[in-house]
Amino acid sequence: VSTLASVKTLLVGAVVGAGISWPIKMAANIELLAAQISVFTGSIESARRSILELQNFSAIAAQPLETLVTQMRLLTTRGIGVDAAVRDLKALAVMAAGSQEEFEQLTKAFADVKSANRLYGDEMRQFKNTAFNPFVEIAKRTGETLDELKARMEAGGISFGEVEAALLASVSAGGLFHGMLEKISNTLIGQVHIAFTQFKQAILPLSELLLQP
């Protein structure tokens, strides 16, 4: 029996043992999250679509949905549009490789770059203890040395757009983190997240029905 099938069996048993309240809480939580980000998306429906997209992604990225939504709110409050926030968030989660702590640290540093609209020493120091070094990808594109990039950063010459482009390049073909999602999904924790997400998706229609007055 595969790991994925075994985890699904355990999940079914857990939910049956917990009674009917668990799926109701799950649906209610999704509606609450949708309400929280609807300010940025413009409507509950579009917010719900974003959350369901993140829910699908949470399985293969091995990150809790609530964490993804919280970090998405951080990016949007710093002025990043919803679609771009979801895209950037996915790239940051890929880099974190299943570590929630590193994911939150990466997102905080990235959001701070957006706030300043430039990469400065403080943000670079935040990235230092993570997997992402913006200089590496920027140097690939520009041909600059690390010393030259440091001097340009200190002069305020590295924009948020350059950092964002470096982020996306890192997870694209030829980037250091390309293929990381597949590696995560093949780990035990990745299999557990996949099974849990698939199970939640299967019972979500029932959960929503139970919420109806």
Side-chain angles (χ1 to χ4, degrees), residues 95 119 124 127 130-146 149-150 158 162-163 165-167 169-170 174-177:
M95 287 184 175
L119 176 66
M124 196 63 191
F127 283 127
T130 71
F132 183 41
N133 183 342
F135 281 2
V136 172
E137 288 295 337
I138 294 175
K140 284 183 183 180
R141 180 179 57 82
T142 66
E144 292 171 280
T145 66
L146 296 182
L149 283 169
K150 182 178 179 182
I158 298 181
E162 278 193 272
V163 175
L167 169 72
S170 293
L176 182 61
F177 299 94

Side-chain angles (χ1 to χ4, degrees), residues 71 74-75 78 92 102-115 123 126-127:
Q71 300 309 307
L74 173 61
L75 295 184
R78 299 298 176 89
L92 293 164
E102 181 160 354
F103 174 53
E104 292 174 350
Q105 187 174 352
L106 279 164
T107 309
K108 168 65 165 56
F110 188 73
D112 286 350
V113 176
K114 175 59 180 176
S115 291
E123 291 74 34
Q126 290 185 63
F127 283 127

Side-chain angles (χ1 to χ4, degrees), residues 19 29 36 41 52 74 79 102 124-125 139 151 158-159 174 177 185 190 192 198-199 208 211:
N29 187 48
Q36 290 173 346
T41 63
L52 291 177
L74 173 61
E102 181 160 354
M124 196 63 191
R125 281 187 285 275
I158 298 181
S159 69
F177 299 94
S185 64
V192 170
Q198 288 178 347
F199 184 74
E208 293 172 334
L211 275 180

Side-chain angles (χ1 to χ4, degrees), residues 60-210:
I60 53 177
Q63 294 288 347
L65 174 62
E66 290 78 7
T67 299
L68 289 169
V69 173
T70 297
Q71 300 309 307
M72 177 186 171
R73 288 175 63 196
L74 173 61
L75 295 184
T76 53
T77 57
R78 299 298 176 89
I80 301 177
V82 172
D83 290 341
V86 171
R87 179 197 61 203
D88 293 345
L89 200 70
K90 288 180 177 181
L92 293 164
V94 168
M95 287 184 175
S99 169
Q100 185 174 338
E101 181 180 358
E102 181 160 354
F103 174 53
E104 292 174 350
Q105 187 174 352
L106 279 164
T107 309
K108 168 65 165 56
F110 188 73
D112 286 350
V113 176
K114 175 59 180 176
S115 291
N117 211 31
R118 292 285 186 275
L119 176 66
Y120 290 112
D122 286 346
E123 291 74 34
M124 196 63 191
R125 281 187 285 275
Q126 290 185 63
F127 283 127
K128 185 177 180 180
N129 295 321
T130 71
F132 183 41
N133 183 342
F135 281 2
V136 172
E137 288 295 337
I138 294 175
K140 284 183 183 180
R141 180 179 57 82
T142 66
E144 292 171 280
T145 66
L146 296 182
D147 285 341
E148 288 171 337
L149 283 169
K150 182 178 179 182
R152 186 152 68 89
M153 176 190 72
E154 290 172 348
I158 298 181
S159 69
F160 169 75
E162 278 193 272
V163 175
E164 185 177 45
L167 169 72
L168 299 175
S170 293
V171 299
S172 301
L176 182 61
F177 299 94
H178 181 63
M180 180 60 73
L181 280 181
E182 290 75 12
K183 294 177 182 177
I184 296 172
S185 64
N186 287 328
T187 65
L188 177 59
I189 190 171
Q191 291 290 300
V192 170
H193 273 272
I194 289 171
F196 191 53
T197 300
Q198 288 178 347
F199 184 74
K200 288 194 292 186
Q201 289 171 335
I203 67 171
L204 187 57
L206 171 62
S207 306
E208 293 172 334
L209 181 62
L210 293 169

